[in-house]
């Protein structure tokens, strides 16, 4: 089943709502958007996130994408996001969608 424009816009709205210093996982966003899989969020982020705070979206274990690890962690650290080595402390930084 193809991803609808409404689903894409909902994911974009959710990512845009994550405040500085906080993060969400692909799964958090998928659940909030009513999507069946976090992979859809990943696809949307790869294709349509240049104008979004993409660096605030992480894997379920708090790690950034392998090809973006240094840049993503630097941006998060600049925002005051709590880091533990090469991952974000999700217990302290996870943003909960209403």
């Amino acid at each position: 089943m193809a991803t609808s424009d409404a689903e894409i816009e909902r994911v974009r709205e959710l990512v845009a709502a994550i405040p500085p210093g906080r993060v969400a996982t692909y799964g958090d966003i998928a659940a909030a958007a009513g999507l069946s899989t976090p992979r859809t969020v990943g696809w949307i982020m790869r294709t349509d996130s240049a104008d979004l705070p993409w660096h605030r979206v992480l894997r379920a274990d708090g790690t950034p994408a392998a090809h973006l690890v240094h840049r993503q962690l630097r941006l998060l650290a600049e925002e005051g996001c709590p880091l533990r080595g090469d991952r974000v402390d999700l217990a302290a930084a996870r943003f909960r969608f209403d």
Side-chain angles (χ1 to χ4, degrees), residues 18 21-29 55-64 72-73 76 80-97:
I18 304 168
R22 304 294 296 276
V23 297
T25 68
Y26 292 98
D28 294 338
I29 296 166
H55 59 285
R56 298 180 190 147
V57 182
L58 303 167
R59 296 176 179 154
D61 65 358
T63 59
Q72 196 165 6
L73 290 175
L76 289 169
C81 188
L83 304 178
R84 291 184 182 227
D86 64 348
R87 68 184 61 223
V88 170
D89 180 354
L90 285 178
R94 187 177 237 152
F95 179 70
R96 303 287 181 188
F97 297 100

Side-chain angles (χ1 to χ4, degrees), residues 23-92:
V23 297
T25 68
Y26 292 98
D28 294 338
I29 296 166
L35 300 173
S36 61
T37 177
R39 290 178 187 253
T40 303
V41 176
W43 175 81
I44 293 167
M45 295 298 294
R46 277 192 310 279
T47 60
D48 192 22
S49 68
D51 61 335
L52 295 173
W54 58 267
H55 59 285
R56 298 180 190 147
V57 182
L58 303 167
R59 296 176 179 154
D61 65 358
T63 59
H67 67 289
L68 298 170
V69 64
H70 299 294
R71 184 173 176 211
Q72 196 165 6
L73 290 175
R74 178 183 52 81
L75 290 169
L76 289 169
E78 288 173 0
E79 292 182 352
C81 188
L83 304 178
R84 291 184 182 227
D86 64 348
R87 68 184 61 223
V88 170
D89 180 354
L90 285 178

